[in-house]
Amino acid sequence: MHIVYPAVVSALLFSIGVYGVLARRNTILVLMSVELMLNAVNLNLVAFDVWLRDRLHGGQVLTLFVIVIAAAEVGLGLAIILALYRNRRTVDLDRLRALAEPGASEPDGTAPGTVTP
């Protein structure tokens, strides 16, 4: 098999993942897009490992490490999203920009995030 086919598929998957990260506002969909980008990288690692006929199979070993790190990232990311949902009742990224608690105000009585001259 020629190296161009998995490289093109990987580039398409990575592009779809980048679009998902930049265009989506739902945090679950953003995490899924990051996973799609990691899987595109894994496809490239395995394809080039096979194409270069590496005796140590470094690309495949690195792919296993990426899969383990991705699983940990998803577990931690979902835990953070669940905690945010319990506090804010939303998973919309635009509404999660402020770090203050919902309904909290600044010590001077202004709304959080407002700039006073």
Side-chain angles (χ1 to χ4, degrees):
M1 177 167 66
H2 203 269
I3 192 66
V4 173
Y5 300 123
V8 168
V9 170
S10 176
L12 289 174
L13 285 175
F14 195 83
S15 300
I16 292 169
V18 168
Y19 172 75
V21 166
L22 295 178
R24 301 292 177 193
R25 296 293 171 230
N26 189 339
T27 53
I28 303 291
L29 293 177
V30 170
L31 275 178
M32 288 174 56
S33 298
V34 169
E35 290 298 319
L36 195 62
M37 291 190 298
L38 288 173
N39 285 328
V41 170
N42 287 341
L43 179 62
N44 258 343
L45 285 170
V46 171
F48 278 99
D49 182 56
V50 169
W51 185 59
L52 294 174
R53 294 182 183 92
D54 184 18
R55 288 187 182 185
L56 296 176
H57 300 293
Q60 294 177 21
V61 171
L62 188 58
T63 298
L64 289 175
F65 283 118
V66 170
I67 289 171
V68 168
I69 297 298
E73 175 252 336
V74 166
L76 187 62
L78 287 176
I80 291 171
I81 290 169
L82 185 62
L84 282 172
Y85 181 75
R86 286 181 180 171
N87 287 336
R88 306 280 176 103
R89 298 286 181 222
T90 185
V91 290
D92 187 19
L93 284 177
D94 289 334
R95 294 185 182 171
L96 297 176
R97 300 264 184 218
L99 293 177
E101 291 291 325
S105 63
E106 297 290 328
D108 60 356
T110 60
T114 57
V115 178
T116 56

